[in-house]
RNA sequence: GGCGCAUUCGUCUAGCGGCCCAGGACACCGCCCUCUCAAGGCGGAGAUCGGGGGUUCGAAUCCCCCAUGCGCUACCA
């Protein structure tokens, strides 16, 4: 059997972490087996569809590198790939079920259904539709529908006895008592199908072999199996994935920070890191591998190594992985990816476009220090900022010269003199000169370097000092040190 | 309330009857290195496998019960 899997997002907003994890597993499975991965937009709820959401979701998938073989934008042999454009298919299926007696029309207005449900709940009875229209005589039903101005829905005639077995690839057979199933809606009043009807009809029509979905669907899986049976279709293999939880074990939500793929992209996470991280949320290669390339994951991926336990989204682990992948990039590649973040982070008055080439020697040093590309700007902004740097004077003294501006001044002035004589202007020569200065002052290198670092970069935490100075250039370095000297010489603050 | 799923270090997991007084990774702690911050090296702490019964010569692994968490119980997906 050829492998065909589908990702079926509803266009209601951003591409969420939980959804993209499902899409990733779909994609990995398809790629591993040389099958097809398709995207189908499940826009059957007119009230929830959001303009532009489809494009944002596709954009998220593209950014992740999850390419699809068939979809709403590129078409394919089983199109269209938007459920709202496939309405006739669902109608035909509903008519067939109506004709075979496996479904019936229902004239009960939503308000009545709601009342019935609430009443049942109050009496601690199983909630759900009471099947009032299920066995109405045709003439009576026609009257009821007429009384509702012709409005009606189509409901599935659920069996009242027996049990339905849902074969889940992860948990084995899960058995559901049929009498607990109510007669759910197949076709809504507006003519749109519910998820249940639409997904069964489409998965069959699109020849889907495996369905990966969140395990919130497990409870309704018997409805789907029953529909396949009623329609005479062969059901696909179902894989109900465990949910992704927030750190507090609750549903992952905005409360826990970013939840959309785009938000992670904007912070400077690498798609390959996110893929590695997400793949390990509910799947493992073996007992020790945690770092894998996308190709390696595809190679190793399969259902038999998927887990069933709900997983917690651990941001710290993602950060560690992202830092890992960031370090592996070549310096030019790192710069290329980081550049857009710099453009965004630097103030307006910095001239664009930015020229990063002078910073290249610093690349490896910064690479090993950032977890996200967005942090890049904090390390190199000193190079671009025009005019005097903005920092509190106390920073210039650091711990070594605490409350001792005179001491810090000695270091800064000594550095100015030493740097003016450095030749050639290289990190090595600068290091020799500054270490010599520390020796002459009989102070630890760290004590002497802190004022210099702050003077030159404006902050206490920065890339290594000598390389920083080398990149900045002698003139700008001395200029900034002079500014610092003036500040330290001033008696006030 | 009913039904369903789940339950191994803080987190992700390995484990599918003896190799486990439970292994790895992230996080954490300490030391080393060190111009700040990182990175790196070395070391450490951390789960009596949710609890209780069984089955077995032997159980984290099989069975039962309980507890807890989550999901479903929509003309939402």
């Amino acid at each position: 059997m050829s492998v065909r899997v589908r990702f079926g997002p509803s266009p209601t907003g951003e591409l969420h972490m939980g959804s993209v994890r499902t899409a990733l597993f779909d994609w990995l499975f398809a790629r591993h087996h040389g099958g097809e991965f398709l995207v189908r937009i499940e826009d059957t709820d007119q009230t929830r569809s959001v303009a532009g959401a489809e494009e944002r979701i596709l954009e998220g998938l593209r950014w992740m590198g999850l390419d699809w073989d068939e979809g709403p934008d590129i078409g394919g042999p089983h199109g269209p790939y938007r459920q709202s454009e496939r309405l006739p298919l669902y109608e035909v299926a509903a008519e067939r079920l109506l004709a075979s007696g496996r479904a019936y029309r229902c004239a009960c207005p939503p308000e009545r259904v709601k009342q019935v449900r609430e009443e049942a709940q109050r009496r601690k009875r199983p909630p759900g539709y009471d099947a009032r229209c299920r066995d109405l005589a045709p003439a009576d039903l026609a009257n009821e529908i007429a009384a509702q101005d012709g409005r009606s829905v189509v409901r599935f005639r659920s069996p009242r006895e027996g049990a339905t077995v849902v074969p889940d690839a992860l948990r084995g057979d899960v058995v559901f008592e049929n009498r607990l199933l109510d007669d759910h809606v197949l076709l809504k009043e507006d003519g749109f199908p519910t998820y249940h009807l639409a997904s069964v009809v489409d998965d069959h029509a699109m020849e889907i072999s495996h369905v990966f979905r969140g395990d919130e669907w497990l409870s309704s899986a018997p409805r789907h199996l029953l529909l396949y049976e009623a329609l005479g279709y062969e059901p696909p293999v179902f894989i109900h994935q465990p949910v992704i939880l927030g750190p507090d074990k609750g549903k992952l939500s905005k409360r826990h920070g970013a939840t959309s793929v785009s938000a992670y992209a904007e912070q400077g996470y690498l798609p390959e890191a996110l893929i590695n991280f997400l793949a390990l949320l509910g799947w493992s290669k073996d007992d020790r591998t945690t770092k894998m390339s996308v190709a390696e994951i595809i190679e190793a991926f399969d259902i038999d190594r998927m887990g069933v336990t709900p997983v917690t989204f651990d941001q710290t682990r993602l950060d560690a992985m992202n830092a890992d992948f960031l370090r592996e990039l070549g310096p030019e590649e790192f710069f290329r990816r980081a550049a857009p973040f710099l453009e965004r982070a630097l103030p307006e008055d910095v001239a664009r476009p930015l020229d990063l080439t002078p910073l290249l020697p610093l690349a490896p040093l910064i690479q090993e220090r950032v977890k996200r590309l967005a942090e890049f700007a904090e390390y190199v902004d000193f190079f671009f900022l025009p005019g005097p740097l903005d920092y509190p004077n106390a920073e210039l003294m650091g711990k070594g010269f605490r409350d001792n501006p005179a001491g810090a001044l000695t270091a800064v002035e000594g550095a100015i003199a030493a740097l003016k004589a450095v030749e050639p202007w290289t990190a090595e020569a600068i290091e020799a000169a500054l270490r010599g200065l520390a020796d002459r002052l009989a102070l630890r290198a760290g004590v002497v370097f802190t004022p210099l670092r702050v003077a030159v970069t404006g902050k206490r935490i920065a890339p290594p000092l000598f390389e920083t100075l080398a990149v900045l250039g002698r003139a700008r370095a001395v200029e900034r040190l002079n500014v610092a000297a003036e500040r330290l010489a001033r008696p006030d603050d």
Side-chain angles (χ1 to χ4, degrees), chain A residues 21-68:
Chain A
R21 193 272 235 101
T22 301
L24 173 64
F25 278 47
D26 275 323
W27 183 81
L28 289 170
F29 186 71
R31 295 296 172 251
H32 174 83
H33 289 285
E36 279 106 44
F37 171 59
L38 43 142
V39 173
R40 180 177 73 214
I41 302 299
E42 311 213 327
D43 54 349
T44 56
D45 187 346
Q46 294 179 291
T47 64
R48 293 209 316 158
S49 285
V50 173
E54 175 184 318
E55 188 41 47
R56 287 208 297 282
I57 288 167
L58 295 183
E59 194 44 53
L61 291 174
R62 279 187 207 108
W63 179 81
M64 286 282 284
L66 308 183
D67 57 321
W68 50 98

Side-chain angles (χ1 to χ4, degrees), chain A residues 427-489:
Chain A
E428 295 71 31
I430 293 167
E431 172 164 13
L434 294 181
R435 288 198 187 281
L437 171 66
D439 285 346
R440 282 197 301 284
L441 297 174
L443 289 168
R444 281 185 32 242
V447 173
V448 176
F449 294 170
T450 297
L452 309 184
R453 171 175 298 107
V454 173
V456 156
T457 67
K459 42 192 80 169
R460 211 161 19 183
I461 295 171
L465 184 60
F466 318 123
E467 288 80 358
T468 298
L469 288 165
V471 160
L472 231 207
R474 192 193 317 257
R476 297 178 72 196
V478 169
E479 180 189 324
R480 289 184 181 183
L481 286 166
N482 277 327
V483 170
E486 280 167 32
R487 292 196 184 196
L488 286 166

Side-chain angles (χ1 to χ4, degrees), chain A residues 195-439:
Chain A
Y195 169 86
H196 310 298
L197 210 221
S199 71
V200 167
V201 167
D202 286 345
D203 286 343
H204 173 260
M206 295 178 177
E207 297 173 31
I208 299 304
S209 62
H210 300 257
V211 171
F212 288 77
R213 49 163 45 158
D215 77 359
E216 68 269 22
W217 289 107
L218 186 56
S219 296
S220 39
R223 294 175 166 186
H224 305 146
L225 266 311
L226 253 10
L227 263 176
Y228 276 102
E229 187 266 321
L231 254 8
Y233 297 157
E234 181 75 19
V237 175
F238 288 101
I239 299 98
H240 292 99
Q241 299 185 260
V243 292
I244 298 182
L245 272 19
D248 60 358
K249 298 296 180 191
K251 204 171 183 165
L252 186 63
S253 71
K254 296 105 299 195
R255 278 204 335 281
H256 307 113
T259 54
S260 69
V261 169
S262 62
Y264 282 86
E266 281 163 22
Q267 290 178 65
Y269 286 89
L270 261 23
E272 43 272 59
L274 203 50
I275 285 178
N276 193 159
F277 173 73
L278 253 17
L280 257 18
L281 239 40
W283 174 81
S284 65
K285 179 181 190 292
D286 52 40
D287 64 334
R288 53 194 60 250
T289 310
T290 53
K291 174 91 188 297
M292 285 167 282
S293 68
V294 175
E296 286 169 321
I297 299 173
I298 290 174
E299 165 70 25
F301 189 83
D302 216 338
I303 300 176
D304 57 4
R305 292 208 56 92
M306 283 178 64
V308 290
T309 316
V311 294
T312 308
F313 189 91
D314 181 5
Q315 176 86 43
T316 312
R317 192 173 189 229
L318 207 208
D319 284 352
M321 277 190 186
N322 200 54
D324 241 22
F325 278 92
L326 244 19
R327 271 178 229 118
E328 279 187 356
L329 263 26
E332 294 86 1
E333 173 70 359
F334 174 72
F335 267 11
R336 195 182 63 71
R337 299 227 208 184
F341 293 88
L342 234 199
E343 300 271 1
R344 218 178 308 149
L346 256 21
E348 295 286 322
D349 56 347
V350 174
R352 319 292 160 106
L354 269 18
D355 177 18
L356 297 185
T357 30
L359 257 20
L360 205 49
L362 243 31
L365 304 174
I366 297 168
Q367 252 181 289
E368 65 181 38
R369 286 170 165 76
V370 297
K371 291 194 182 72
R372 306 172 212 92
L373 287 171
E375 295 169 15
F376 180 59
E378 299 164 24
Y379 283 96
V380 298
D381 60 356
F382 74 88
F383 184 81
F384 298 98
L385 264 16
L389 264 17
D390 182 32
Y391 52 84
N393 284 4
E395 296 279 284
L396 280 173
M397 293 172 257
K399 282 201 181 97
F401 291 118
R402 181 184 293 280
D403 299 327
N404 179 11
L409 184 57
T410 313
V412 172
E413 286 176 335
I416 293 170
L419 291 177
K420 279 182 174 164
V422 166
E423 204 60 55
W425 186 255
T426 62
E428 295 71 31
I430 293 167
E431 172 164 13
L434 294 181
R435 288 198 187 281
L437 171 66
D439 285 346

Side-chain angles (χ1 to χ4, degrees), chain A residues 61-119:
Chain A
L61 291 174
R62 279 187 207 108
W63 179 81
M64 286 282 284
L66 308 183
D67 57 321
W68 50 98
D69 306 297
E70 299 169 30
D73 56 333
I74 55 174
H78 299 272
Y81 293 89
R82 271 180 213 101
Q83 292 185 324
S84 60
E85 295 168 8
R86 301 171 62 81
L87 266 22
L89 262 46
Y90 314 125
E91 273 164 39
V92 168
E95 286 303 332
R96 274 185 56 206
L97 292 168
L98 246 15
S100 66
R102 300 301 298 266
Y104 62 91
R105 283 198 184 280
C106 167
C108 297
E111 309 81 66
R112 194 190 93 81
V113 175
K114 192 172 170 219
Q115 269 175 21
V116 167
R117 181 169 53 242
E118 284 166 357
E119 173 61 18

Side-chain angles (χ1 to χ4, degrees), chain A residues 150-164:
Chain A
R151 289 194 294 267
S152 71
V153 299
V154 174
R155 288 181 183 274
F156 187 67
R157 189 185 296 272
S158 293
R160 292 281 164 81
E161 292 169 350
T164 298

